[in-house]
Amino acid sequence: MTGTRTPVARAPGFAWPRDVVRVPDEDWVTRPLDEFGVRYNQVGGHAYYQKNLDPLVAQAAVAIRDGQLLVDYSAGTGLLTRRVLDATPARIGVLNVDPSPKFLRVAVENHADDERVAFRLLRQRKEEKRLETLDDVLDPALAGRVDVVTAANAIHLYPDLHSTLTSWHRVLRPGGIVLINSGCLRNPHARRADWVLDDTVDRVNEIVVELVLREPAFARYRENVVDRDRWSAYLAARQKAFVPLRPLDAYTDALSLAGFDVLNVSDATIFVDVAQFAELLVTYHESVLGWVGGTARIAGVGPSEQALRDRFFLIRYGLERTFPTADEFPCNWTYLTRRRKG
């Protein structure tokens, strides 16, 4: 007797709802690629940067399933998105969300041809004096359908943690997973020798200020140091990109208040190549050492070509003085895994 074999049920995979436009028809999408975004995308290929993503990628690949949706929050140029898509056989959707049109424009360049990836820009709502939240930009058809939210090397950039995290809670399904990492927070469990990434920027500034005040070759930059109002303006600009560090408890407490249960908190020491890290700081040169030569936003005119050359040199000089006998330095990264309650 022969029988009919019952077909194996297969997951349908992910499909964007019909009214969801993957690549929005907005002005930032068609702008020329910005050099800053392109350079950041290249820096993201450095070994230390890829290594700090490894635990996040592994967790996301385990957590995500066929037909599910992952939101890559503060996706930047889409570096984590590529890693996750390469790491999982699951047929998923990934929504890249970021407040920088320069970075998100590069993400579109990298992923627009991939039907699994969509893009949303977080804009400043000036009249409300706030940045849009995730549920402000998420399509109604996707609300409550988000299964995983990742935030790689970015959570420390958001001053209003409560607003940011509660918006994640509102769009995640019950039991949805949050995966966060950051090398820019104060972790009391960090090893004594470990650095926090942003501390290097303060140290570079200390070294360069000392050099500028001492060496005649850089005397033309002294006025920005000794003038308190100018120095305060440049410090404020630096702290927009390299925000004052908060302790780990600030994040764990905010996650709990937003309605997320603890699954795991861990940290790792990752060695950062000094020369590669110098490339990152040079990419952010206007924030790192904007007072060397000035910036258009503060001084009214941008730096001269000579000032730019000096700025790049002094960034590398400051790092070499910070790590005089080492090609790399140990840095602490923290990883937070949470689950939405209810």
PDB file of all heavy atoms in Angstrom, residues 152-177:
ATOM      1  N   ALA A 152      24.158  49.068  17.883  1.00  0.00           N
ATOM      2  CA  ALA A 152      25.602  48.819  17.944  1.00  0.00           C
ATOM      3  C   ALA A 152      26.361  50.131  18.063  1.00  0.00           C
ATOM      4  O   ALA A 152      26.238  51.006  17.200  1.00  0.00           O
ATOM      5  CB  ALA A 152      26.068  48.056  16.695  1.00  0.00           C
ATOM      6  N   ASN A 153      27.118  50.270  19.142  1.00  0.00           N
ATOM      7  CA  ASN A 153      28.014  51.421  19.316  1.00  0.00           C
ATOM      8  C   ASN A 153      27.289  52.752  19.175  1.00  0.00           C
ATOM      9  O   ASN A 153      27.795  53.692  18.559  1.00  0.00           O
ATOM     10  CB  ASN A 153      29.165  51.344  18.301  1.00  0.00           C
ATOM     11  CG  ASN A 153      30.012  50.116  18.504  1.00  0.00           C
ATOM     12  OD1 ASN A 153      30.525  49.879  19.587  1.00  0.00           O
ATOM     13  ND2 ASN A 153      30.151  49.301  17.467  1.00  0.00           N
ATOM     14  N   ALA A 154      26.088  52.844  19.770  1.00  0.00           N
ATOM     15  CA  ALA A 154      25.298  54.054  19.551  1.00  0.00           C
ATOM     16  C   ALA A 154      24.458  54.497  20.741  1.00  0.00           C
ATOM     17  O   ALA A 154      24.133  55.674  20.840  1.00  0.00           O
ATOM     18  CB  ALA A 154      24.379  53.843  18.351  1.00  0.00           C
ATOM     19  N   ILE A 155      24.090  53.609  21.648  1.00  0.00           N
ATOM     20  CA  ILE A 155      23.127  53.963  22.679  1.00  0.00           C
ATOM     21  C   ILE A 155      23.607  55.142  23.516  1.00  0.00           C
ATOM     22  O   ILE A 155      22.806  55.953  24.005  1.00  0.00           O
ATOM     23  CB  ILE A 155      22.808  52.735  23.566  1.00  0.00           C
ATOM     24  CG1 ILE A 155      21.580  53.006  24.449  1.00  0.00           C
ATOM     25  CG2 ILE A 155      24.014  52.324  24.389  1.00  0.00           C
ATOM     26  CD1 ILE A 155      20.306  53.228  23.694  1.00  0.00           C
ATOM     27  N   HIS A 156      24.918  55.271  23.673  1.00  0.00           N
ATOM     28  CA  HIS A 156      25.472  56.364  24.476  1.00  0.00           C
ATOM     29  C   HIS A 156      25.268  57.730  23.834  1.00  0.00           C
ATOM     30  O   HIS A 156      25.451  58.755  24.488  1.00  0.00           O
ATOM     31  CB  HIS A 156      26.970  56.129  24.704  1.00  0.00           C
ATOM     32  CG  HIS A 156      27.741  55.938  23.441  1.00  0.00           C
ATOM     33  ND1 HIS A 156      27.842  54.716  22.815  1.00  0.00           N
ATOM     34  CD2 HIS A 156      28.437  56.812  22.667  1.00  0.00           C
ATOM     35  CE1 HIS A 156      28.563  54.853  21.717  1.00  0.00           C
ATOM     36  NE2 HIS A 156      28.934  56.108  21.604  1.00  0.00           N
ATOM     37  N   LEU A 157      24.888  57.769  22.569  1.00  0.00           N
ATOM     38  CA  LEU A 157      24.716  59.038  21.861  1.00  0.00           C
ATOM     39  C   LEU A 157      23.350  59.668  22.110  1.00  0.00           C
ATOM     40  O   LEU A 157      23.126  60.826  21.727  1.00  0.00           O
ATOM     41  CB  LEU A 157      24.893  58.821  20.352  1.00  0.00           C
ATOM     42  CG  LEU A 157      26.266  58.326  19.898  1.00  0.00           C
ATOM     43  CD1 LEU A 157      26.246  58.000  18.409  1.00  0.00           C
ATOM     44  CD2 LEU A 157      27.335  59.361  20.202  1.00  0.00           C
ATOM     45  N   TYR A 158      22.434  58.933  22.730  1.00  0.00           N
ATOM     46  CA  TYR A 158      21.074  59.405  22.907  1.00  0.00           C
ATOM     47  C   TYR A 158      20.878  59.944  24.316  1.00  0.00           C
ATOM     48  O   TYR A 158      20.887  59.186  25.286  1.00  0.00           O
ATOM     49  CB  TYR A 158      20.078  58.281  22.592  1.00  0.00           C
ATOM     50  CG  TYR A 158      20.117  57.915  21.135  1.00  0.00           C
ATOM     51  CD1 TYR A 158      21.013  56.961  20.659  1.00  0.00           C
ATOM     52  CD2 TYR A 158      19.322  58.575  20.210  1.00  0.00           C
ATOM     53  CE1 TYR A 158      21.098  56.654  19.313  1.00  0.00           C
ATOM     54  CE2 TYR A 158      19.389  58.280  18.861  1.00  0.00           C
ATOM     55  CZ  TYR A 158      20.282  57.318  18.414  1.00  0.00           C
ATOM     56  OH  TYR A 158      20.370  57.029  17.077  1.00  0.00           O
ATOM     57  N   PRO A 159      20.715  61.263  24.466  1.00  0.00           N
ATOM     58  CA  PRO A 159      20.621  61.840  25.814  1.00  0.00           C
ATOM     59  C   PRO A 159      19.353  61.443  26.552  1.00  0.00           C
ATOM     60  O   PRO A 159      19.365  61.291  27.769  1.00  0.00           O
ATOM     61  CB  PRO A 159      20.667  63.352  25.562  1.00  0.00           C
ATOM     62  CG  PRO A 159      20.256  63.527  24.133  1.00  0.00           C
ATOM     63  CD  PRO A 159      20.720  62.304  23.420  1.00  0.00           C
ATOM     64  N   ASP A 160      18.250  61.275  25.820  1.00  0.00           N
ATOM     65  CA  ASP A 160      16.975  60.932  26.455  1.00  0.00           C
ATOM     66  C   ASP A 160      16.765  59.423  26.356  1.00  0.00           C
ATOM     67  O   ASP A 160      16.077  58.926  25.459  1.00  0.00           O
ATOM     68  CB  ASP A 160      15.828  61.693  25.787  1.00  0.00           C
ATOM     69  CG  ASP A 160      14.514  61.564  26.552  1.00  0.00           C
ATOM     70  OD1 ASP A 160      14.417  60.675  27.424  1.00  0.00           O
ATOM     71  OD2 ASP A 160      13.593  62.340  26.271  1.00  0.00           O
ATOM     72  N   LEU A 161      17.373  58.693  27.280  1.00  0.00           N
ATOM     73  CA  LEU A 161      17.269  57.231  27.241  1.00  0.00           C
ATOM     74  C   LEU A 161      15.827  56.764  27.400  1.00  0.00           C
ATOM     75  O   LEU A 161      15.403  55.811  26.737  1.00  0.00           O
ATOM     76  CB  LEU A 161      18.137  56.614  28.344  1.00  0.00           C
ATOM     77  CG  LEU A 161      19.647  56.586  28.108  1.00  0.00           C
ATOM     78  CD1 LEU A 161      20.345  56.015  29.336  1.00  0.00           C
ATOM     79  CD2 LEU A 161      19.996  55.766  26.875  1.00  0.00           C
ATOM     80  N   HIS A 162      15.082  57.412  28.278  1.00  0.00           N
ATOM     81  CA  HIS A 162      13.713  56.956  28.536  1.00  0.00           C
ATOM     82  C   HIS A 162      12.863  57.032  27.274  1.00  0.00           C
ATOM     83  O   HIS A 162      12.162  56.074  26.924  1.00  0.00           O
ATOM     84  CB  HIS A 162      13.078  57.780  29.658  1.00  0.00           C
ATOM     85  CG  HIS A 162      11.691  57.336  29.993  1.00  0.00           C
ATOM     86  ND1 HIS A 162      11.430  56.151  30.667  1.00  0.00           N
ATOM     87  CD2 HIS A 162      10.472  57.902  29.734  1.00  0.00           C
ATOM     88  CE1 HIS A 162      10.128  56.008  30.825  1.00  0.00           C
ATOM     89  NE2 HIS A 162       9.529  57.050  30.265  1.00  0.00           N
ATOM     90  N   SER A 163      12.937  58.151  26.579  1.00  0.00           N
ATOM     91  CA  SER A 163      12.157  58.307  25.359  1.00  0.00           C
ATOM     92  C   SER A 163      12.579  57.292  24.304  1.00  0.00           C
ATOM     93  O   SER A 163      11.736  56.685  23.629  1.00  0.00           O
ATOM     94  CB  SER A 163      12.322  59.722  24.822  1.00  0.00           C
ATOM     95  OG  SER A 163      11.657  59.873  23.581  1.00  0.00           O
ATOM     96  N   THR A 164      13.882  57.102  24.171  1.00  0.00           N
ATOM     97  CA  THR A 164      14.395  56.156  23.171  1.00  0.00           C
ATOM     98  C   THR A 164      13.939  54.733  23.473  1.00  0.00           C
ATOM     99  O   THR A 164      13.416  54.022  22.602  1.00  0.00           O
ATOM    100  CB  THR A 164      15.935  56.208  23.144  1.00  0.00           C
ATOM    101  OG1 THR A 164      16.358  57.530  22.798  1.00  0.00           O
ATOM    102  CG2 THR A 164      16.493  55.217  22.132  1.00  0.00           C
ATOM    103  N   LEU A 165      14.107  54.311  24.718  1.00  0.00           N
ATOM    104  CA  LEU A 165      13.840  52.908  25.071  1.00  0.00           C
ATOM    105  C   LEU A 165      12.351  52.605  25.152  1.00  0.00           C
ATOM    106  O   LEU A 165      11.925  51.502  24.786  1.00  0.00           O
ATOM    107  CB  LEU A 165      14.532  52.573  26.387  1.00  0.00           C
ATOM    108  CG  LEU A 165      16.065  52.691  26.358  1.00  0.00           C
ATOM    109  CD1 LEU A 165      16.648  52.436  27.744  1.00  0.00           C
ATOM    110  CD2 LEU A 165      16.674  51.738  25.336  1.00  0.00           C
ATOM    111  N   THR A 166      11.554  53.538  25.625  1.00  0.00           N
ATOM    112  CA  THR A 166      10.111  53.277  25.658  1.00  0.00           C
ATOM    113  C   THR A 166       9.539  53.192  24.247  1.00  0.00           C
ATOM    114  O   THR A 166       8.575  52.457  24.015  1.00  0.00           O
ATOM    115  CB  THR A 166       9.361  54.353  26.468  1.00  0.00           C
ATOM    116  OG1 THR A 166       9.702  55.659  25.980  1.00  0.00           O
ATOM    117  CG2 THR A 166       9.705  54.256  27.950  1.00  0.00           C
ATOM    118  N   SER A 167      10.143  53.915  23.297  1.00  0.00           N
ATOM    119  CA  SER A 167       9.680  53.787  21.909  1.00  0.00           C
ATOM    120  C   SER A 167       9.988  52.398  21.370  1.00  0.00           C
ATOM    121  O   SER A 167       9.199  51.834  20.603  1.00  0.00           O
ATOM    122  CB  SER A 167      10.302  54.872  21.033  1.00  0.00           C
ATOM    123  OG  SER A 167      11.661  54.605  20.732  1.00  0.00           O
ATOM    124  N   TRP A 168      11.141  51.844  21.766  1.00  0.00           N
ATOM    125  CA  TRP A 168      11.444  50.462  21.372  1.00  0.00           C
ATOM    126  C   TRP A 168      10.395  49.517  21.949  1.00  0.00           C
ATOM    127  O   TRP A 168       9.922  48.603  21.261  1.00  0.00           O
ATOM    128  CB  TRP A 168      12.822  50.045  21.885  1.00  0.00           C
ATOM    129  CG  TRP A 168      13.981  50.777  21.327  1.00  0.00           C
ATOM    130  CD1 TRP A 168      13.968  51.818  20.439  1.00  0.00           C
ATOM    131  CD2 TRP A 168      15.359  50.534  21.624  1.00  0.00           C
ATOM    132  NE1 TRP A 168      15.250  52.235  20.171  1.00  0.00           N
ATOM    133  CE2 TRP A 168      16.125  51.467  20.877  1.00  0.00           C
ATOM    134  CE3 TRP A 168      16.020  49.634  22.444  1.00  0.00           C
ATOM    135  CZ2 TRP A 168      17.518  51.499  20.938  1.00  0.00           C
ATOM    136  CZ3 TRP A 168      17.406  49.658  22.506  1.00  0.00           C
ATOM    137  CH2 TRP A 168      18.146  50.579  21.768  1.00  0.00           C
ATOM    138  N   HIS A 169      10.053  49.732  23.212  1.00  0.00           N
ATOM    139  CA  HIS A 169       9.078  48.868  23.877  1.00  0.00           C
ATOM    140  C   HIS A 169       7.736  48.900  23.154  1.00  0.00           C
ATOM    141  O   HIS A 169       7.074  47.860  23.001  1.00  0.00           O
ATOM    142  CB  HIS A 169       8.917  49.308  25.334  1.00  0.00           C
ATOM    143  CG  HIS A 169       8.105  48.375  26.170  1.00  0.00           C
ATOM    144  ND1 HIS A 169       6.718  48.410  26.205  1.00  0.00           N
ATOM    145  CD2 HIS A 169       8.480  47.370  27.010  1.00  0.00           C
ATOM    146  CE1 HIS A 169       6.284  47.479  27.026  1.00  0.00           C
ATOM    147  NE2 HIS A 169       7.327  46.833  27.529  1.00  0.00           N
ATOM    148  N   ARG A 170       7.340  50.065  22.689  1.00  0.00           N
ATOM    149  CA  ARG A 170       6.033  50.187  22.040  1.00  0.00           C
ATOM    150  C   ARG A 170       5.956  49.453  20.705  1.00  0.00           C
ATOM    151  O   ARG A 170       4.872  49.027  20.295  1.00  0.00           O
ATOM    152  CB  ARG A 170       5.697  51.670  21.836  1.00  0.00           C
ATOM    153  CG  ARG A 170       5.355  52.400  23.125  1.00  0.00           C
ATOM    154  CD  ARG A 170       4.759  53.782  22.846  1.00  0.00           C
ATOM    155  NE  ARG A 170       5.712  54.694  22.255  1.00  0.00           N
ATOM    156  CZ  ARG A 170       6.501  55.513  22.938  1.00  0.00           C
ATOM    157  NH1 ARG A 170       6.473  55.489  24.276  1.00  0.00           N
ATOM    158  NH2 ARG A 170       7.322  56.351  22.340  1.00  0.00           N
ATOM    159  N   VAL A 171       7.078  49.312  20.002  1.00  0.00           N
ATOM    160  CA  VAL A 171       7.014  48.684  18.673  1.00  0.00           C
ATOM    161  C   VAL A 171       7.392  47.209  18.698  1.00  0.00           C
ATOM    162  O   VAL A 171       7.083  46.473  17.755  1.00  0.00           O
ATOM    163  CB  VAL A 171       7.915  49.433  17.661  1.00  0.00           C
ATOM    164  CG1 VAL A 171       7.539  50.902  17.589  1.00  0.00           C
ATOM    165  CG2 VAL A 171       9.386  49.277  17.991  1.00  0.00           C
ATOM    166  N   LEU A 172       8.068  46.755  19.766  1.00  0.00           N
ATOM    167  CA  LEU A 172       8.439  45.345  19.865  1.00  0.00           C
ATOM    168  C   LEU A 172       7.233  44.492  20.240  1.00  0.00           C
ATOM    169  O   LEU A 172       6.381  44.907  21.029  1.00  0.00           O
ATOM    170  CB  LEU A 172       9.525  45.154  20.928  1.00  0.00           C
ATOM    171  CG  LEU A 172      10.977  45.314  20.497  1.00  0.00           C
ATOM    172  CD1 LEU A 172      11.862  45.526  21.721  1.00  0.00           C
ATOM    173  CD2 LEU A 172      11.461  44.110  19.700  1.00  0.00           C
ATOM    174  N   ARG A 173       7.192  43.295  19.716  1.00  0.00           N
ATOM    175  CA  ARG A 173       6.174  42.346  20.171  1.00  0.00           C
ATOM    176  C   ARG A 173       6.521  41.887  21.585  1.00  0.00           C
ATOM    177  O   ARG A 173       7.685  41.957  21.996  1.00  0.00           O
ATOM    178  CB  ARG A 173       6.124  41.132  19.235  1.00  0.00           C
ATOM    179  CG  ARG A 173       7.395  40.304  19.229  1.00  0.00           C
ATOM    180  CD  ARG A 173       7.215  38.967  18.544  1.00  0.00           C
ATOM    181  NE  ARG A 173       8.468  38.247  18.412  1.00  0.00           N
ATOM    182  CZ  ARG A 173       9.061  37.556  19.388  1.00  0.00           C
ATOM    183  NH1 ARG A 173       8.501  37.515  20.599  1.00  0.00           N
ATOM    184  NH2 ARG A 173      10.194  36.913  19.168  1.00  0.00           N
ATOM    185  N   PRO A 174       5.537  41.398  22.348  1.00  0.00           N
ATOM    186  CA  PRO A 174       5.848  40.830  23.661  1.00  0.00           C
ATOM    187  C   PRO A 174       6.877  39.704  23.527  1.00  0.00           C
ATOM    188  O   PRO A 174       6.751  38.830  22.660  1.00  0.00           O
ATOM    189  CB  PRO A 174       4.496  40.295  24.140  1.00  0.00           C
ATOM    190  CG  PRO A 174       3.492  41.155  23.436  1.00  0.00           C
ATOM    191  CD  PRO A 174       4.094  41.438  22.085  1.00  0.00           C
ATOM    192  N   GLY A 175       7.916  39.754  24.338  1.00  0.00           N
ATOM    193  CA  GLY A 175       8.993  38.772  24.242  1.00  0.00           C
ATOM    194  C   GLY A 175      10.071  39.135  23.255  1.00  0.00           C
ATOM    195  O   GLY A 175      11.066  38.411  23.123  1.00  0.00           O
ATOM    196  N   GLY A 176       9.905  40.277  22.562  1.00  0.00           N
ATOM    197  CA  GLY A 176      10.920  40.713  21.610  1.00  0.00           C
ATOM    198  C   GLY A 176      12.237  41.033  22.311  1.00  0.00           C
ATOM    199  O   GLY A 176      12.273  41.359  23.503  1.00  0.00           O
ATOM    200  N   ILE A 177      13.323  40.934  21.557  1.00  0.00           N
ATOM    201  CA  ILE A 177      14.681  41.013  22.120  1.00  0.00           C
ATOM    202  C   ILE A 177      15.349  42.335  21.750  1.00  0.00           C
ATOM    203  O   ILE A 177      15.214  42.830  20.627  1.00  0.00           O
ATOM    204  CB  ILE A 177      15.541  39.837  21.612  1.00  0.00           C
ATOM    205  CG1 ILE A 177      14.911  38.496  22.015  1.00  0.00           C
ATOM    206  CG2 ILE A 177      16.969  39.932  22.147  1.00  0.00           C
ATOM    207  CD1 ILE A 177      14.827  38.274  23.519  1.00  0.00           C
TER     208      ILE A 177
END
